[in-house]
Amino acid sequence: MTNITIFLGPPGAGKGTQAEKISESFNLPHISTGVMLREHVENKTELGVIAAEILNKGNLVSDDLVTAMLIDRLDNSDCKDGAILDGFPRTIAQAESLEIDDLEIRNVILFEVNEEELIKRMLERGRDDDTEESIKVRFEVYKNETAPLIDYYNNKGVLNSVNAFGEINDIFNKISKFMEL
Ligand code: AMP
């Protein structure tokens, strides 16, 4: 049984930073669909060619493509005990695709944020797909497509919230406690 932990929250909330630390501390693979997609784009794979423009605009790659890529990754032997998902699911359809035998959604960590502060942080981070326009699109997409997952997982009794604007180590300690529940 693979115990899945999901890091949920808007772009720029620090999910990647915390997933990295939690991954190390709990010896679980950190799976970021954003990182995987950017690798496909860099390597100009078939998926990368399709995804490149979508990423630049800040839109979502289709559920089918991302889900296939993710499920394939979860089949890897390093995920047999568990994994941390960062950036997946981003839609209800993606969440439903995780409801399969052998996977258990144990824990969803919601990164709670203040939008203005986030946009400022993201522009400072300076990633290629972090233009003002694409950031705006990504927030809209988050509100429309991804935020409904908050209620979805809350109703399942697996949602735990952390304030994403604390000290990195304080946030890490809170998440660690939730990992031990
Ligand atoms: P991230 O690094 O998580 O901010 O993701 C960067 C970009 O990759 C997003 O803006 C989307 O275009 C794409 N992406 C990452 N994860 C997903 C997903 N689960 N579903 C659809 N698109 C995704």
Side-chain angles (χ1 to χ4, degrees):
M1 177 67 76
T2 298
N3 291 319
I4 301 289
T5 296
I6 293 168
F7 281 13
L8 181 63
K15 301 188 295 296
T17 304
Q18 292 294 337
E20 207 51 58
K21 289 168 70 71
I22 295 287
S23 160
E24 224 171 86
S25 165
F26 288 82
N27 197 21
L28 290 168
H30 165 201
I31 301 179
S32 159
T33 45
V35 167
M36 292 173 79
L37 287 167
R38 281 191 291 280
E39 277 171 12
H40 276 280
V41 171
E42 241 165 69
N43 296 330
K44 298 194 169 62
T45 65
E46 207 176 320
L47 172 57
V49 171
I50 297 171
E53 201 180 327
I54 301 173
L55 259 74
N56 273 334
K57 289 200 172 136
N59 285 314
L60 294 185
V61 176
S62 81
D63 288 334
D64 288 353
L65 290 177
V66 183
T67 300
M69 178 183 82
L70 194 264
I71 296 287
D72 194 53
R73 175 68 186 85
L74 287 175
D75 264 344
N76 237 286
S77 60
D78 65 333
C79 297
K80 84 180 155 29
D81 297 329
I84 300 165
L85 303 190
D86 158 17
F88 188 100
R90 262 175 156 94
T91 64
I92 298 276
Q94 290 179 16
E96 286 171 350
S97 71
L98 288 176
E99 275 148 34
I100 50 178
D101 289 349
D102 297 336
L103 292 188
E104 187 184 345
I105 311 301
R106 276 288 287 278
N107 188 6
V108 178
I109 308 290
L110 173 65
F111 287 64
E112 289 189 308
V113 299
N114 157 326
E115 190 172 322
E116 254 168 52
E117 177 64 26
L118 259 193
I119 293 178
K120 196 174 129 231
R121 276 203 205 173
M122 287 175 78
L123 286 169
E124 283 168 4
R125 166 171 93 168
R127 210 168 72 189
D128 278 358
D129 58 342
D130 282 348
T131 62
E132 215 161 329
E133 188 52 36
S134 83
I135 289 175
K136 242 203 254 156
V137 173
R138 276 190 278 156
F139 271 97
E140 275 310 299
V141 170
Y142 177 77
K143 279 187 204 151
N144 296 331
E145 306 278 341
T146 309
L149 291 173
I150 298 172
D151 275 349
Y152 181 88
Y153 285 121
N154 201 17
N155 289 336
K156 291 184 185 290
V158 290
L159 194 78
N160 294 298
S161 303
V162 297
N163 175 356
F165 282 110
E167 273 290 311
I168 288 187
N169 277 325
D170 290 343
I171 299 172
F172 169 75
N173 289 334
K174 278 187 206 144
I175 298 174
S176 296
K177 291 218 176 76
F178 290 137
M179 298 295 292
E180 285 153 10
L181 289 181

